[in-house]
Amino acid sequence: MTIHVTPIPSTIDFSDAAPTTVTLASQTAAAGTAVLAQRGDHLHASEGFGDLFGPGSSTDNGIVRYSGTTGKLVQTYTSNAPTISDAGVIALTSGQLGFPATVNLSTDANTLDDYEEGVFTPYLADNSGSASEGQGYGYQIGHYTRVGNICAISIVLGLSSLGTLTTSEFTRIYGLPFPTMETAGFEQAGSCGQATGLAITAGHAVTISFPENVSRLYPQVFDSTAGTSRMLISEYTADGKVIIQATYEVKD
Amino acid sequence: MPVTESSTIDQITVLSDGQVLVRRADRVLRDGIELAKTYHRHVVEPGQSLTNEDARVRSVCGAVQTRAVIDAFKRANG
């Protein structure tokens, strides 16, 4: 028997006496059907008023999602259903969490609001900051990963020619993907793990610093009893190469 | 199933001090469906050369990085 109820929406009241019996024509729930009344056949042992049932193949603890076509059906996952445990732990079994291509910044200190990975093109400059002084490169590689307000960078920068860079001026490496944090006096630092071809004194270590609110870094040399000094272009030389790994706080 | 590549400036962000953040999206597509995407980023500080910049980036920088903005940025950041 089929009961047609019009107009829509309409309400059918059942007796409050338990158990109320509503027997579906097929006796089986269609995949993705929401059953909002108790049924006589009790397909699910815990079935009760107002329960929402998904497809029979539903993943235990799976997060419910709806069909974009009908807007009513609960969909299954083709694989890797995300779940929320009874304790509220969200498990991304696909291993992927997507963020929008355009950041939606949060002011909340406990909210992760950005993830992006990509590349950039570092270049060596003197005080002019120009990339167009005939510098030549054997290696000019920069990779970055930004998570929240932290940017991790890896740089391999090897010269093949100084061009017309002024050798008496300080080295600057430009091209960072994001400006550094803008807080007066808040310089940051990173490490240079390997270098070749430089003209520095044996035993002097190379390091880097980030000035605030710019997209560049400064190579430094531990060459004095007081600490570091800025590396000169003449110390980098025409075949100098540095490998840099660093993380820095970015300007939001 | 032709594989094509595209390279577009997909994001230009202007900061209050005139710095312009540029993101280029390099995509590999098969039949118009994206197979891979890589971002390339750089920042144009006020006063930096615009010679090699995309036309739209030059346009934005030209409007935002006025003489006063460039001077103020250089005073603050060298």
Side-chain angles (χ1 to χ4, degrees), chain A:
Chain A
M1 180 180 69
T2 303
I3 300 174
H4 295 282
V5 180
T6 55
I8 297 175
S10 296
T11 301
I12 302 174
D13 291 323
F14 295 101
S15 165
D16 288 339
T20 297
T21 299
V22 178
T23 303
L24 297 183
S26 66
Q27 295 288 333
T28 55
T33 300
V35 181
L36 297 177
Q38 188 179 24
R39 303 179 317 184
D41 61 330
H42 287 267
L43 188 64
H44 297 271
S46 59
E47 190 174 324
F49 289 106
D51 284 348
L52 177 62
F53 290 93
S57 60
S58 297
T59 301
D60 186 36
N61 296 328
I63 298 173
V64 170
R65 67 194 186 111
Y66 292 91
S67 163
T69 304
T70 67
K72 296 177 182 177
L73 297 182
V74 179
Q75 288 186 316
T76 56
Y77 294 85
T78 53
S79 62
N80 301 323
T83 62
I84 303 178
S85 73
D86 293 342
V89 177
I90 299 173
L92 302 175
T93 53
S94 70
Q96 297 183 353
L97 176 63
F99 282 78
T102 299
V103 63
N104 180 18
L105 284 178
S106 167
T107 55
D108 181 66
N110 299 108
T111 299
L112 179 60
D113 56 13
D114 195 12
Y115 180 89
E116 184 181 304
E117 51 193 63
V119 300
F120 60 99
T121 308
Y123 69 90
L124 190 77
D126 54 24
N127 293 355
S128 72
S130 172
S132 305
E133 294 196 71
Q135 303 97 313
Y137 299 94
Y139 301 89
Q140 193 177 18
I141 305 166
H143 291 183
Y144 72 88
T145 299
R146 175 173 173 165
V147 181
N149 70 338
I150 294 294
C151 184
I153 57 170
S154 303
I155 294 175
V156 180
L157 189 61
L159 284 187
S160 59
S161 168
L162 282 176
T164 57
L165 292 176
T166 305
T167 55
S168 61
E169 293 187 348
F170 293 127
T171 55
R172 299 170 171 217
I173 295 177
Y174 280 82
L176 300 184
F178 301 96
T180 56
M181 176 170 275
E182 181 183 17
T183 300
F186 184 63
E187 289 185 84
Q188 303 179 65
S191 66
C192 174
Q194 184 180 330
T196 57
L198 304 181
I200 58 175
T201 301
H204 287 178
V206 177
T207 185
I208 60 164
S209 66
F210 297 90
E212 67 266 22
N213 193 34
V214 291
S215 55
R216 58 183 183 251
L217 61 85
Y218 297 154
Q220 309 259 356
V221 182
F222 275 100
D223 58 0
S224 82
T225 54
T228 61
S229 65
R230 295 274 302 278
M231 180 187 286
L232 297 168
I233 295 291
S234 60
E235 293 177 301
Y236 204 100
T237 82
D239 64 347
K241 177 184 174 186
V242 296
I243 299 177
I244 292 167
Q245 300 280 151
T247 58
Y248 65 97
E249 285 190 62
V250 305
K251 177 179 184 172
D252 279 334

Side-chain angles (χ1 to χ4, degrees), chain B residues 9 13 29 34-35 38 40 42 51-52 58 61 65 67 78:
Chain B
I9 302 294
T13 307
L29 307 104
E34 183 176 293
L35 300 178
T38 303
H40 180 283
H42 72 283
T51 305
N52 296 320
R58 281 204 306 272
C61 291
Q65 297 175 343
R67 187 74 256 163

Side-chain angles (χ1 to χ4, degrees), chain B residues 10-25:
Chain B
D10 78 331
Q11 194 175 93
I12 301 173
T13 307
V14 178
L15 303 186
S16 58
D17 61 2
Q19 294 188 80
V20 176
L21 282 59
V22 182
R23 187 177 72 184
R24 188 186 74 218

Side-chain angles (χ1 to χ4, degrees), chain B residues 31-53:
Chain B
D31 291 336
I33 306 297
E34 183 176 293
L35 300 178
K37 177 174 69 179
T38 303
Y39 288 135
H40 180 283
R41 276 190 174 274
H42 72 283
V43 180
V44 184
E45 296 180 1
Q48 279 191 310
S49 168
L50 304 178
T51 305
N52 296 320
E53 299 294 343

